Amino acid sequence: MNQTKSHRLVVFDTETTGMNDTGGPIYEGHRVIEIGCVEVIDRKLTGNTFHVYINPQQLIDEEAIQVHGITDEFVADKPLFREIAHDFVEFIRGAELVAHNANFDISFLDHEFGLMSRALTQAMPKCADICTITDSLLVARRGEYNKREIQLAGNKPLPSRKNLDSLSDYYGVDRSSRTYHGALLDAELLADVFLKMTGGQNKLNLKHKGSSDGVDVRPIDTNRPPLKVVMATGQELEAHQQRLDLVEKKGGQCRWRN
């Protein structure tokens, strides 16, 4: 019996003690304090999540607290990264890991794995060794040239900025509860945005007015008039053949040529 392997996404986000401003690696001198992951299987949210706060063993920058609201006092009694690392690795293992501006989050996590390697004197894997990585920011930038996505969004022009707030507004994802940035909340927002950004409509509402259980489908009226079929004109057919000639001339292949 043929079985199709399910495609598993883990959409995630992190919060940190701050960002490096010395021109070096973005994780230099800073640590991860929150990880939030949302599981998606075959383009459906499963409700399965991974969420932890982490004691970074150092102070959190005031500028960072203004962004995510996580204080030194709050994380003082939270587990260390090495204490949650195994569960995190098992959650993401073999998945397609999706993050917005993924280089930021992945660099921080790989840095944490590197610190563990030195402390335990054994090599810890990097994220790319555990799963594949997709940067939804790059996907959003490529979408600027995807006319289908523009049509699915009601022909609205794509936002010039591709941050999560702008994309949430563009795709109609509710972010009214987002007072602060939070890893799990941002992962949930990104999961909704990413599904719409990569596949258009991802839910089919089959309910109709008067349905009691939400599963009824309105039947098609079999007595309706026949659909009108509009045939191509001779001029249109000729223009089509000329286009196919041009495609072949430039090295393409026309599998649909008459």
Side-chain angles (χ1 to χ4, degrees):
M1 180 175 64
N2 292 330
Q3 292 184 337
T4 302
K5 185 177 180 180
S6 296
H7 183 61
R8 182 171 181 263
L9 297 175
V10 172
V11 185
F12 87 108
D13 186 48
T14 64
E15 299 298 341
T16 66
T17 59
M19 291 183 63
N20 177 53
D21 58 2
T22 64
I26 57 175
Y27 53 75
E28 186 176 297
H30 289 292
R31 303 288 299 275
V32 174
I33 57 175
E34 184 186 9
I35 302 173
C37 303
V38 176
E39 182 183 61
V40 179
I41 295 181
D42 293 337
R43 299 189 58 78
K44 295 181 178 64
L45 293 164
T46 67
N48 192 19
T49 63
F50 178 88
H51 183 220
V52 291
Y53 291 101
I54 300 164
N55 181 350
Q57 298 180 292
Q58 68 180 57
L59 296 177
I60 303 171
D61 283 359
E62 184 60 35
E63 293 84 357
I65 296 175
Q66 297 300 316
V67 173
H68 50 56
I70 302 173
T71 64
D72 300 310
E73 294 76 15
F74 180 78
V75 296
D77 62 347
K78 300 301 184 285
L80 305 181
F81 183 86
R82 63 173 179 265
E83 296 173 318
I84 61 90
H86 175 76
D87 290 340
F88 173 64
V89 167
E90 290 307 307
F91 191 86
I92 68 174
R93 188 182 299 280
E96 179 183 352
L97 198 60
V98 179
H100 208 62
N101 191 17
N103 184 54
F104 177 89
D105 303 279
I106 297 299
S107 294
F108 270 98
L109 291 171
D110 285 348
H111 178 60
E112 294 288 349
F113 286 135
L115 293 176
M116 280 187 64
S117 297
R118 290 193 287 274
L120 301 175
T121 64
Q122 67 181 54
M124 289 294 295
K126 292 187 175 182
C127 290
D129 299 324
I130 305 167
C131 51
T132 60
I133 299 167
T134 296
D135 188 343
S136 55
L137 177 58
L138 298 182
V139 175
R141 287 171 175 168
R142 288 198 300 267
E144 188 169 353
Y145 306 101
N146 189 333
K147 293 182 179 180
R148 177 175 177 272
E149 295 304 324
I150 295 175
Q151 292 171 348
L152 288 169
N155 287 315
K156 296 182 295 182
L158 282 155
S160 57
R161 300 186 66 188
K162 303 298 188 298
N163 59 35
L164 188 53
D165 284 347
S166 297
L167 292 172
S168 295
D169 293 343
Y170 179 74
Y171 288 106
V173 176
D174 182 18
R175 59 182 181 89
S176 58
S177 60
R178 193 185 189 221
T179 304
Y180 285 106
H181 287 256
L184 184 59
L185 175 59
D186 284 1
E188 291 170 342
L189 286 175
L190 180 57
D192 284 341
V193 168
F194 188 74
L195 289 174
K196 292 184 177 181
M197 185 166 60
T198 57
Q201 183 179 13
N202 56 71
K203 294 181 180 178
L204 292 177
N205 183 4
L206 300 179
K207 294 187 292 184
H208 68 81
K209 189 174 181 180
S211 170
S212 60
D213 55 9
V215 298
D216 293 341
V217 178
R218 179 174 295 168
I220 296 175
D221 184 1
T222 56
N223 295 320
R224 72 187 189 284
L227 296 175
K228 182 179 180 181
V229 178
V230 179
M231 304 298 293
T233 65
Q235 185 178 5
E236 290 170 336
L237 289 173
E238 182 179 355
H240 177 65
Q241 293 300 322
Q242 291 175 352
R243 172 60 63 176
L244 298 185
D245 291 340
L246 180 60
V247 170
E248 289 188 335
K249 182 178 179 180
K250 292 182 176 294
Q253 293 183 345
C254 301
R255 298 180 182 277
W256 58 86
R257 181 185 282 281
N258 293 335

